[in-house]
Each structure stands twice: as structure tokens, then as C-alpha cells.
Amino acid sequence: MAAAAEPGTRAWLGDGSPRSGSPASSPDLGSRGRARPGQGPGPGPGPGSGPERAGARPPGPTALGHSFRKVTLTKPTFCHLCSDFIWGLAGFLCDVCNFMSHEKCLKHVKTPCSSLAPSLVRVPVAHCFGPQGLYKRKFCAVCRKGLEAPALRCEVCELHVHPDCVPFACSDCRQCHRDGHRDHDTHHHHWREGNLPSGARCEVCRKACGSSDVLAGLRCEWCGVQAHSVCSAALAPECTFGRLRTMVLPPACVRLLSRNFSKMHCFRVSESAAPEPGEGEDGPDGSAPTGPGKEVLASESSKQTLKIFDGSDAVQRNHFRVISVPRLARSEEVLDAALRAYYITEDPRDFELQALTSPVQAGDAGGLGKAQSSGTLEEEGSRGPGSREAAPEAWIIRALPRTQEVLKVYPAWLKVGVAYVSIRVTPQSTVRTVVLEVLPLLGRQVEGPESFQLVEVLMGSRQVQRTVLAEEELLLDRLRDIRKTSLRQMNQTRFYVAESRAVVPHVSLFVGGLPPGLSPQEYDSLLDEAVATKAGLVSLSHVYSSQGAVVLDVACFAEAERLYMLVRDTAVHGRQLTTLVLPDVLHTKLPPDCRPLLVFVNPKSGGLKGRDLLCSFRKLLNPHQVFELTNGGPLPGFHVFSQVPCFRVLVCGGDGTVGWVLAALEEMRYRLACPEPSVAILPLGTGNDLGRVLRWGAGYSGEDPLSVLVSVDEADAVLMDRWTILLDGHEASGAENGLADVEPPKIVQMSNYCGIGIDAELSLDFHQAREEEPGKFTSRFHNKGVYVRVGLQKMSQSRSLHKEIRLQVEQQEVQLPSIEGLIFINIPSWGSGADLWGSDSDSRFEKPRMDDGLLEVVGVTGVMHMGQVQGGLRSGIRIAQGSYFRVTLLKATPVQVDGEPWIQAPGHMIISAAGPKVHMLRKAKQKPKKAGTPKDARADGVPTPEGDPK
């Protein structure tokens, strides 16, 4: 779903109103039969909103559901449309969503009110909110207030909300895949209001369109084009994905029949445990203060605070909103404030307030029953709850009984010319009669009603739930039950008429963490024993035996959901299993010039930078092409991209992470349609030697993620050798009774260097310190400080490594000098950028290159020598150069490969070339930026990153 994707979607451009003469353009009829002209379609089913609420305010201008009134300004205020300062003492404020405007700007307002926005989204897509965080100079998309306290943001789009505004957020997230119902003819812009980057320029008028003072300006969340809300009408609706169009995985090429799986499941985003409004609290501080306005609760004696519930479900859950009203307020004014707190703009005469004689206490199970009604406010007195000292402090909004009402029915994915049609529902109306009445209005009368069904959709901000209604169900009774449960839920419920074609269930579940080396039959039996898989519904589609992982093909949505939840809590042989919902990439539909970027992010690298980059890349690209390495490793990503004919890889992490991904790529190579994808690096580790050699820098320091992606797109492909190390430990120290403990051989891959002796010992001590207290190792500077401290402790130690090992190069024995460390280097960078080989020419050896098929062997005499090398004062002791090495360890010795250390038992180490070279991406050299704006910068819709010309 993309906002404003077609007529009837969320209309920022003002083109979402049904055209004149269509069935949807007739005025809504309320429960009492009165017409309500002068306002757009109301939020959700039922009667539309009147032009003003009774007794609320003098008549004012209205636009897209707003309830504007003229207010006196007491502090500097900015217009939410033009973002200019409002001079003078008067402005126009929407009482529901806090939209502030100049009087001259009122007629140009295109942004719908928060109460109306849900009804303008045609295909709802839920958001996935991450953990709470502090977001400076950001604004809530619901109440338009600043986010001064910890708030939530969507991991897929740029939606920011207060925790208590989440239930009222519009389910208008980016649609990142096909769901099996709708074909994408063209892709349209997905507009998001406000929170633009500093210096944002309008694509049409080239003037500043962002603001750090208010929620203003629009930005497409696919191509990045930015514009004023008024200027956006001049832009073509089609989106071309902007500068990153060749790197983005198009949503039309991704299929995921997820049913009840949310995007939280698909992307493994850790959900926040923040309580909903009023949860677990009894006083005003435990709820959302005053609803949309969020004014500070008044402490004067002339004011009182009331708890407001919107239905029986809120009473049972103790979820309430708090409003502040004058003690002498009339009942109509209290009701009006209560409706505003829940963003309800329907006629207040259709509702009443019932008092809860026993206010629900947090955690009091005895008070969670049905609300006790002690009479409406009219029965309490003409001045409302403030007229008596004993007036209840908790009230529940109830909808008055309706003998008929108007139901909006949307055409779902049917290609018709109207956004929705309005149908009168009576006590005798069933689902079947409504479908029969709707089809002629949509021009589908020639088709029988048995080919269609009525679907109820709850458009929650966290999850969208769909329910197919039975043909004989009475709709008026169902609407009454929904309103009784929750008025907010009623505003977020919509009814679609859709074709009754059966969707063939197909869900791919990745399961990792299984014992490696088993056969498909053994994996099948193991899963059946662990989670009781159903043979007729679950089958093994792919088996990755060497990595202990399988991909299950599940032919039932309920079974897929059961397996997903069960596998997450299951351990096999003491190892916790991992599960992921995987999409299908429709590789035949990819554009010819599309080379999507597969992104792997290690959130544990670089402190908190990995977590931020993960969120940024999900928003700049399709989230389905961004994988978190802590959830299943690189294998799920390579599996999803296995049929893509041409793609590239970006690895965000340290050298160890890069080696991990390259090793997985080597194992998957024969299964990939693109067997040799080029790999770029965003260095997040401590040393980052490979990143330095490939010009990606010494470490990520907060560059714009968009600039990083542009640099990847412009990078040059180079080759790099990969090496295999066979570890064959014949004897283990500590053998008793003359019997040697035989250690099974194992193979590791090497890209950068392999160290034996003192440098591996330092890496091992650092690794052990980080394992003991991982929370302290969050900065590159601190990590290097620990290395220095560990090195100083080893200054006086000596183990005479040359007496403990033997070295053969190309089958020839090599005499070792007196050294403490032996290092095999593949790239001209070691120990955070040091040149261990040195730049001096030597007739005995060839000039080292990372693709020459040769390794250089260098020795160091101790910690002091290593420090001099890193300071550029000395180089290492050149020993040999070759392509085949055999090292014999006479005793247990520290060994490290690409920064991963361990103690290797006595035995042999054989180092040889590992098959084909890998294709890496080297960052292009910086070119001086030309004066002026590049010709295609505007066409692409994003500013050119400094130093990265197009």
C-alpha cells in the first residue's frame, strides 16, 4: 500500500474525494435520517461528521475533517502548512489534531485531520514500532506535538508517535510486498508529512520545505522527493525510486502471503513493551493526558480531571484517556471533550456519557466487569459531572441505539472508478443483501453474489486483521457490538467487498540452529519430534545441512503461525532455534537494470551505530532486502536472493562479520543464480583492515546512510584471494596414560590475515574481556584502549615461538628467526591500518597484492615491535611468500584468523588457496564537487551527497 496510490487512497493532493455523480458522493444519512453536507466522508462506517459540534465553538472554516476555530496566540507559533511564523495574535487551530494555520492558508490545507486520515487509506498496512527512544526535534504524526519524552518510530517508514498516540496512528505504512490479492500496475509516491531532514528543498519551487518548529512538508518514502503539501499536486503520481532505483528491490517483485504475520515477524523487529494509554495506572499520570491536545492537566480549583473509557474493552483493560474540563462545564461540553480525546468527530448527539459508579482500579480484577451506568449526564444535572461533589471521576462513552445507519463499503482490489459506496443498513440487512446492493453500484451486477464476499478489516496501527463475514450475519447488530466494544475500534474498522477466489496458502519458514550434518529425513524426524509438524501441510523445501538450517514450505496459515511461535521457544540439543518468515522474490519481474542490494547488518558492531543503520537501511530500501545477522546469520538473506540473476551485497560490521558473510557466500555459491555477487563493506568494527584497503575508511563515523548507498552504487569491482586453513590437531595437551586425545579436523576461511603467537594472544585476551563485560565495549576508542592495556601486560613475557613451531613453504622447510609472533597476511593492512610488510623493495619477493594468489609471511619479535609497526617506525621481519603453507605446532598455541582467536591444540595447520577469488567493491576515489546543482539531482529527487557526484 502506498498512500495516494490511486483514487480513494490517502489523498495529500486533494484528489481523494469521490467525483460528482458517483455513489460515494451522496451525503451520508445519520441514524435519525438527517443529511450532513459540508464535510468529507467521516472516519469509518456510520454517519458522517457534521460541520461543527453542538455548543463546541463558533462556526469556522473546515477542510479534510478539521475543526478549526480562531484562537488567541500567547507564544511564538508557526503555520503547519507554509511553516512561516504567524504574525499577530490570531491563528486558526484544529481542536482535534492541533493543526495550526494562517487564515490565508486555510483554503490550501491538503493534510487530513487525524480523525479522518484512517478513512482515506485504501489498502491498510500496519506499522512495526521498535523500542522507545529519544528523537530530538521530531513531531508526533497524530497530535502534531513535539516528541520531548521517549517516543516510538516505525522501523519501516518515518512515522514518529507518542506512546499514548499509537492506538490512533493511521495504518498507512509502506507496502513492501505483494499480498496475493492486488497487482501493481504502477508504483506511486508514498507521502509522509513532516520530520524532514535539515535543508530539505521542495522539488517544485526549490524553496525550503522542512521545518524544525512544526510538522510541515512532505517526503516520498520510496524515492525521497520532498515538497510542500501545496506544491506536491504539481508532481506526477508515479514514483521511480529516485537515485537508488537500481538498488531497491521493487515491492511488485516480492510476494509474501503472511495472513496474520505482521511485519514485526517478517523483519524480526523487537517490539516495545510500552504500556498503552492508562495501562497499569489508576491516576491521571498513568494515562494519555487530555487526548489529542495533551495540555497540562490544570490544578486550579475551577478545573477537574476525568477518566474517559471508549467501550467495554477499555474498561476491562483499564485503558483510558484523561480530560480536563471546567467544574461548571455543561454535559455537552464534557461529551465534546471526551469525543475529541478519542479523535471522534461524529455528531455528539449520537453519543452519551455513562458514569462508572465503581472506577476501575489498576490491577483490581474485581472492577473489570461490565460498566455500571448510573445515568447519563443529563440525569446528573444540567452542568455535568462538576455540578455535584460526589460526581463520578470515570465515564464511558456509549453510542445511542440506531435503527438504521449508512455503511461505507470499499471495492477492495476491484478496478472500479469510485473510492467507496454508501449503503443504508437496517435491522433486516444481512451480509448477502448488502453485497447484492453494492455490486450494481460498482458496475459488477452481471456477476453473481456468490463470487463475492464481505470482509471486515480492523486497521490497527500495529496489525491489520481481516475477517470474512458469514452471509446471514446481521450487519446492524455487528456494528452495534463493535461500538459497544470500542468506539476507537469502530473508527478503525472498514468493510470491503472482494472476490471470493481462494488464496492458496504458501508460507516459507526458515528454521536455524539445528544440528549440522544431518540428512533431510533426519531433519524431518527431528522437527516432528520437537514441534509436531503435520506431514500433509509441512514439507522441507530446502536443506542447508552444513549450516544446520532448513526452509519449511507450509500450506496452511494457521499451521505456519503455530510453528513460528512454537519454534521460537524450542531448543534442540541445548541450542535455541531461530525462525524467520521469508518472502519470495519474483525474479522474472525485476526490471532489466535492477541490481538489488542485499544488506547484512551486525547490530552488535560499532556500539549503537549498527542498530541505527539497520533502521536507516530499512527505510531507504525495501525492508525485505535488509537482514539482521543476529537472527539466523547470512543464510536467510542468500536464500531469499538465490534466484535473483544479478545482485550486490553490503556488509555492515567488523572484519569478523565480513569473513562470516564471505564464508556463507562460499557455501551458497552453487545454489545462487548470481554465483559471484560483489561485496561492499561498511566498517563498524575496531580494526577494519579490509575496509581500509577497499577505501571504505577506518570506521563508520555517522555519515549519511544515503551517501553510503550512493557510494556502493558507484564503487569499482576488484578481486580478492580467499584462503582455506585446515586445522588438524593430532595431539592435545594433558593426555593421560600415553593416549592422545584426537581433535577432529576443521576448516576455516581467511580473508585478511592469520596470526600465531603474541598477536593472537592479545586478541584472545581482548575477546575474553569483551565476553565477560560486553556492555563496556561499545566504542572503537575504548576497544583500542583495552588492546593497549593488554599489550602492556605482555611486555615482559617471552615464549620463543620459533622453537615451538615448524614452517614449510611450497614443501620447503623455512628456518625461522627469533620471533614471538608469525603472521600470514593477504592484504596490505594489519592491526588497524599498519603496513606489516613494509614498502621497501626486495628482489627476493614480488610486490604484494590482494589478488596475486600469494600470502606474505611476517614475524614480530614482541609487543614492542608490534607497537613500532603500528606507529610506522618499523616493519615486520619478512620471512617468506607463497601459495601453500604447512605449520606444525609442537604445543598448544594461540591462533587468530581475521580477528577471531582461539587456542589451537598441537598438530598441523595447512594454508592453501580457497577456490575462485571473491568479487569485492572498492570505493571510488573522491572527485571534486562541481559548483551548482547537478543536472539530474532534481530528477532523482534527492540531493547529491557531498563528494559523491552522479
Side-chain angles (χ1 to χ4, degrees):
M1 189 281 301
E6 56 187 276
T9 25
R10 187 166 179 175
W12 294 105
L13 310 184
D15 59 354
S17 302
R19 64 175 183 267
S20 177
S22 72
S25 64
S26 58
D28 290 350
L29 294 178
S31 58
R32 294 169 180 78
R34 54 183 182 273
R36 294 176 185 157
Q39 187 145 347
S49 303
E52 62 177 284
R53 290 191 286 271
R57 64 195 61 80
T62 61
L64 287 172
H66 292 289
S67 298
F68 286 112
R69 63 182 173 92
K70 194 172 184 179
V71 295
T72 301
L73 305 179
T74 59
K75 60 182 180 180
T77 309
F78 295 83
C79 177
H80 289 200
L81 180 68
C82 65
S83 71
D84 290 340
F85 184 77
I86 299 180
W87 296 96
L89 299 177
F92 285 82
L93 174 71
C94 175
D95 274 337
V96 179
C97 70
N98 298 316
F99 191 101
M100 178 66 73
S101 173
H102 291 104
E103 183 176 9
K104 64 180 181 180
C105 292
L106 284 178
K107 59 183 178 181
H108 301 296
V109 172
K110 304 293 183 184
T111 304
C113 181
S114 298
S115 63
L116 185 66
S119 68
L120 300 179
V121 178
R122 182 164 187 180
V123 183
V125 178
H127 297 279
C128 50
F129 295 104
Q132 291 191 26
L134 291 174
Y135 304 105
K136 297 180 180 179
R137 306 194 78 82
K138 299 290 185 180
F139 297 89
C140 177
V142 177
C143 68
R144 311 183 72 88
K145 295 284 186 175
L147 302 178
E148 299 174 355
L152 298 172
R153 69 175 177 185
C154 178
E155 296 286 321
V156 178
C157 67
E158 285 293 340
L159 183 82
H160 292 75
V161 290
H162 293 104
D164 53 275
C165 290
V166 170
F168 305 95
C170 190
S171 55
D172 61 345
C173 193
R174 292 192 298 164
Q175 187 174 18
C176 302
H177 58 263
R178 298 174 59 177
D179 52 11
H181 297 283
R182 182 184 181 199
D183 293 331
H184 297 253
D185 297 327
T186 56
H187 193 81
H188 291 75
H189 290 299
H190 184 103
W191 297 111
R192 178 70 61 199
E193 185 187 18
N195 297 321
L196 302 185
S198 59
R201 293 281 174 179
C202 177
E203 185 71 15
V204 178
C205 67
R206 306 308 299 168
K207 296 181 180 179
C209 60
S211 173
S212 59
D213 301 299
V214 291
L215 194 72
L218 298 178
R219 178 180 179 272
C220 174
E221 295 189 299
W222 284 108
C223 67
V225 65
Q226 299 160 150
H228 296 101
S229 60
V230 175
C231 296
S232 61
L235 295 173
E238 292 79 14
C239 178
T240 61
F241 297 106
R243 175 64 182 84
L244 305 178
R245 56 183 171 270
T246 61
M247 309 176 74
V248 173
L249 186 62
C253 302
V254 184
R255 180 179 58 198
L256 179 60
L257 305 181
S258 56
R259 197 62 171 267
N260 290 332
F261 285 112
S262 68
K263 289 189 295 183
M264 304 290 294
H265 294 149
C266 300
F267 308 141
R268 292 299 296 268
V269 180
S270 57
E271 189 171 3
S272 171
E276 292 193 30
E279 182 177 7
E281 296 288 346
D282 185 45
D285 294 338
S287 66
T290 71
K294 288 189 178 61
E295 297 92 350
V296 177
L297 297 178
S299 59
E300 298 88 358
S301 58
S302 61
K303 294 273 189 176
Q304 68 172 340
T305 58
L306 304 175
K307 297 178 186 178
I308 303 296
F309 299 86
D310 74 327
S312 303
D313 183 67
V315 174
Q316 292 179 2
R317 294 173 176 266
N318 194 27
H319 292 178
F320 55 88
R321 307 278 278 179
V322 174
I323 63 173
S324 176
V325 295
R327 292 189 179 275
L328 301 181
R330 297 181 56 84
S331 58
E332 293 86 353
E333 297 172 344
V334 178
L335 177 60
D336 191 62
L339 292 174
R340 286 202 310 270
Y342 282 95
Y343 295 88
I344 298 173
T345 56
E346 298 182 46
D347 195 326
R349 290 173 290 181
D350 293 329
F351 302 92
E352 66 178 5
L353 281 177
Q354 293 180 356
L356 293 179
T357 54
S358 299
V360 180
Q361 301 295 324
D364 183 7
L368 299 181
K370 183 178 179 181
Q372 304 267 338
S373 175
S374 61
T376 63
L377 288 180
E378 285 77 5
E379 296 170 347
E380 289 289 333
S382 61
R383 292 189 180 276
S387 60
R388 299 184 180 183
E389 293 184 2
E393 294 184 358
W395 300 78
I396 183 171
I397 311 174
R398 290 295 191 191
L400 295 174
R402 308 184 185 192
T403 58
Q404 65 175 5
E405 61 179 283
V406 173
L407 179 70
K408 297 174 185 175
V409 180
Y410 292 75
W413 298 273
L414 305 177
K415 295 183 178 180
V416 296
V418 296
Y420 63 88
V421 294
S422 299
I423 300 297
R424 189 188 305 276
V425 177
T426 64
Q428 292 76 35
S429 298
T430 64
V431 170
R432 181 178 178 83
T433 60
V434 168
V435 172
L436 283 171
E437 191 174 352
V438 167
L439 290 180
L441 299 177
L442 298 177
R444 307 295 289 265
Q445 60 271 19
V446 296
E447 304 177 54
E450 62 276 358
S451 302
F452 297 89
Q453 59 190 8
L454 195 64
V455 182
E456 177 187 301
V457 179
L458 175 58
M459 306 185 300
S461 60
R462 294 182 183 270
Q463 189 167 3
V464 176
Q465 299 178 352
R466 295 174 172 85
T467 304
V468 179
L469 301 181
E471 288 189 352
E472 302 304 321
E473 185 165 2
L474 296 175
L475 276 180
L476 197 63
D477 292 346
R478 186 167 187 88
L479 296 178
R480 183 187 65 248
D481 292 342
I482 296 175
R483 282 196 175 92
K484 185 177 180 180
T485 301
S486 171
L487 293 177
R488 174 178 58 85
Q489 181 178 330
M490 186 73 242
N491 271 5
Q492 296 176 340
T493 300
R494 186 183 293 174
F495 294 87
Y496 288 85
V497 60
E499 293 179 334
S500 301
R501 60 179 183 178
V503 177
V504 179
H506 169 74
V507 180
S508 295
L509 285 182
F510 171 87
V511 180
L514 297 168
L518 303 184
S519 66
Q521 294 77 15
E522 290 173 321
Y523 281 124
D524 200 357
S525 301
L526 186 63
L527 287 173
D528 185 48
E529 179 183 348
V531 295
T533 57
K534 298 181 180 178
L537 301 176
V538 183
S539 60
L540 295 180
S541 62
H542 295 80
V543 176
Y544 300 99
S545 179
S546 62
Q547 302 187 45
V550 298
V551 177
L552 303 180
D553 191 355
V554 188
C556 174
F557 291 122
E559 175 67 5
E561 187 175 7
R562 184 190 74 86
L563 287 177
Y564 178 84
M565 303 305 293
L566 189 58
V567 170
R568 293 171 61 185
D569 299 328
T570 301
V572 174
H573 297 175
R575 186 179 177 186
Q576 187 68 38
L577 297 184
T578 303
T579 180
L580 282 169
V581 182
L582 298 183
D584 295 325
V585 176
L586 308 177
H587 60 278
T588 58
K589 296 183 177 294
L590 289 170
D593 62 340
C594 182
R595 292 191 299 163
L597 185 68
L598 175 59
V599 181
F600 294 110
V601 181
N602 188 349
K604 294 183 178 179
S605 299
L608 300 178
K609 293 190 175 100
R611 176 76 179 82
D612 294 336
L613 283 171
L614 186 66
C615 184
S616 297
F617 287 140
R618 280 174 177 157
K619 296 177 181 180
L620 290 170
L621 303 170
N622 190 323
H624 286 299
Q625 64 189 108
V626 181
F627 288 83
E628 185 177 347
L629 286 172
T630 54
N631 291 322
L635 184 56
F638 285 126
H639 174 81
V640 170
F641 273 61
S642 59
Q643 299 302 315
V644 177
C646 184
F647 67 93
R648 291 167 290 182
V649 179
L650 173 63
V651 183
C652 306
D655 288 340
T657 302
V658 176
W660 183 15
V661 173
L662 292 178
L665 175 61
E666 185 66 29
E667 293 190 24
M668 282 286 296
R669 188 185 300 273
Y670 69 97
R671 295 178 183 244
L672 299 178
C674 176
E676 296 180 349
S678 300
V679 181
I681 301 172
L682 184 56
L684 298 181
T686 302
N688 303 315
D689 289 291
L690 186 55
R692 296 169 190 265
V693 172
L694 297 175
R695 299 184 189 147
W696 295 108
Y700 178 71
S701 56
E703 294 86 357
D704 180 18
L706 174 61
S707 301
V708 173
L709 294 178
V710 171
S711 298
V712 172
D713 193 36
E714 297 174 344
D716 304 319
V718 296
L719 295 176
M720 185 182 72
D721 296 326
R722 286 272 290 169
W723 299 85
T724 297
I725 303 178
L726 174 63
L727 303 170
D728 188 6
H730 290 306
E731 298 180 357
S733 60
E736 298 179 1
N737 300 326
L739 297 177
D741 296 332
V742 178
E743 190 174 281
K746 65 178 181 179
I747 296 177
V748 296
Q749 303 288 331
M750 185 191 81
S751 300
N752 301 352
Y753 41 73
C754 169
I756 304 173
I758 185 63
D759 75 313
E761 191 173 351
L762 297 183
S763 297
L764 184 61
D765 289 347
F766 172 83
H767 180 75
Q768 292 173 345
R770 183 168 58 181
E771 289 293 319
E772 292 175 359
E773 296 179 294
K776 293 184 178 181
F777 292 78
T778 57
S779 72
R780 195 175 296 115
F781 181 78
H782 176 269
N783 294 351
K784 291 184 178 180
V786 175
Y787 263 117
V788 172
R789 187 187 67 201
V790 171
L792 293 176
Q793 294 173 351
K794 304 287 185 180
M795 285 282 290
S796 60
Q797 297 183 12
S798 174
R799 61 182 300 159
S800 300
L801 182 69
H802 60 285
K803 298 179 181 180
E804 300 176 358
I805 65 174
R806 300 288 183 266
L807 173 65
Q808 289 183 5
V809 180
E810 311 291 358
Q811 308 294 333
Q812 298 293 323
E813 189 82 20
V814 175
Q815 188 68 31
L816 294 176
S818 178
I819 57 175
E820 294 295 321
L822 186 67
I823 304 168
F824 300 82
I825 54 177
N826 184 47
I827 60 174
S829 179
W830 167 87
S832 300
D835 185 3
L836 191 59
W837 183 259
S839 58
D840 296 339
S841 60
D842 192 331
S843 59
R844 297 177 300 165
F845 307 109
E846 298 181 16
K847 184 177 180 180
R849 295 201 324 270
M850 58 189 291
D851 62 343
D852 58 2
L854 299 175
L855 280 180
E856 288 69 48
V857 186
V858 183
V860 292
T861 59
V863 174
M864 181 68 71
H865 187 184
M866 293 171 60
Q868 291 171 337
V869 170
Q870 291 184 330
L873 303 177
R874 292 178 61 184
S875 58
I877 302 173
R878 297 179 182 179
I879 296 176
Q881 190 180 49
S883 60
Y884 181 85
F885 306 88
R886 182 185 183 93
V887 180
T888 302
L889 303 179
L890 302 180
K891 61 191 310 185
T893 307
V895 174
Q896 64 101 356
V897 174
D898 293 345
E900 301 298 323
W902 70 91
I903 297 292
Q904 179 61 31
H908 299 294
M909 294 176 56
I910 299 176
I911 306 175
S912 59
K917 306 175 188 295
V918 294
H919 293 246
M920 305 298 293
L921 289 174
R922 183 171 58 194
K923 187 176 181 180
K925 290 185 176 180
Q926 303 287 329
K927 298 179 182 178
K929 188 177 180 181
K930 297 180 181 179
T933 303
K935 290 188 293 183
D936 57 344
R938 292 182 60 183
D940 287 333
V942 295
T944 304
E946 187 172 351
D948 286 302
K950 299 178 184 178

